[in-house]
Amino acid sequence: LLLAIVQTNPQFASVDSNVRAALAPMEKAQADFYVLPELFNTGYNFTEMAEVEKLAEPAEGTTCKAMMEFSRRNSCYVVYGFAEKSNRLYNSSALVGPDGLIGVYRKVHLYYRENLFFAPGNLGFPIFDLPIGRVGMMICFDWFYPESARTLALRGAQLIAHPSNLVMPHCPDAMVTRCLENRVFAATSNRIGREHRGNTDLSFIGKSEIVSPRGEILKRLPESEEGIAVVDVNLSQASSKRLNEFNDLLGGR
Ligand code: ACM
């Protein structure tokens, strides 16, 4: 499976150009499965509710249509983060494939001022059984709660798609442990750049990465450049949780 991480620099509220800026490198780097950052189309640093209400889209909104068109044309899957307008507002990610929208995950563990604008996810941690393997999603700060990745692993995930907008430094190294302790692949796609809006000044740390079930960092992107990386992974390596003849990783809990 050709797995791609896409590291972008979203500009706040410039949805059309943010979507175009993400699709441009994807058009040039062929892959079977692409992961984009959290809130990649809107930007992150909302100052008031009215901005979220204006920029949020239903799951099958304009951004989804652009991603579905790309997936259909390239026979691939894409996971991307967006502000979801439903009965409430959620910090969500969507999984689309060649036949359209497959599913949505709503971020469970909201970080910092996200708590002012979004409702916590109410869909749990769903798994999607695709022809290419079993995939789950978590979003950014979910990494800080080992239960997120563990829940996905217990439900059979081979790959965790992890759209992110990281501001603290620890996640890229911590994902090595998340993958090791669950024997899963993870694709953490983070953004770069800075958003200083209102009194809140946030800088994002890049370092998007793909980590193997053995905790190897198969690829890590730089801290402050946009980019895309494609790694050929064998998702079946995440299927056996047996470490040796005595230790079954999940069975031994
Ligand atoms: C984060 O959850 N965006 C840090």
Side-chain angles (χ1 to χ4, degrees), residues 46-148:
F46 297 101
T47 59
E48 57 185 20
M49 201 61 177
E51 292 173 338
V52 191
E53 276 161 6
K54 178 156 173 270
L55 293 170
E57 297 179 16
E60 293 200 75
T62 314
T63 299
C64 184
K65 289 188 169 62
M67 292 298 141
M68 291 194 298
E69 193 277 325
F70 179 86
S71 300
R72 191 176 306 117
R73 192 158 38 78
N74 295 288
S75 300
C76 66
Y77 297 88
V78 184
V79 167
Y80 60 91
F82 70 109
E84 184 190 358
K85 185 175 286 178
S86 181
N87 53 334
R88 304 180 74 183
L89 296 162
Y90 298 97
N91 181 344
S92 296
S93 59
L95 166 65
V96 301
D99 299 324
L101 177 65
I102 296 166
V104 169
Y105 164 70
R106 293 172 173 164
K107 187 176 187 177
V108 168
H109 304 98
L110 298 172
Y111 177 68
Y112 194 40
R113 285 170 55 83
E114 291 169 35
N115 286 282
L116 299 174
F117 306 122
F118 296 108
N122 59 352
L123 302 175
F125 288 91
I127 293 291
F128 302 94
D129 202 350
L130 306 176
I132 53 114
R134 289 185 303 279
V135 177
M137 296 181 271
M138 61 184 203
I139 299 178
C140 203
F141 191 53
D142 283 326
W143 76 267
F144 222 122
Y145 295 83
E147 294 87 347
S148 312

Side-chain angles (χ1 to χ4, degrees), residues 231-249:
V231 176
D232 194 1
V233 297
N234 178 358
L235 291 189
S236 72
Q237 287 170 4
S239 299
S240 170
K241 307 300 181 185
R242 190 155 280 288
L243 302 182
N244 56 50
E245 62 189 305
F246 297 103
N247 296 108
D248 179 88
L249 187 60

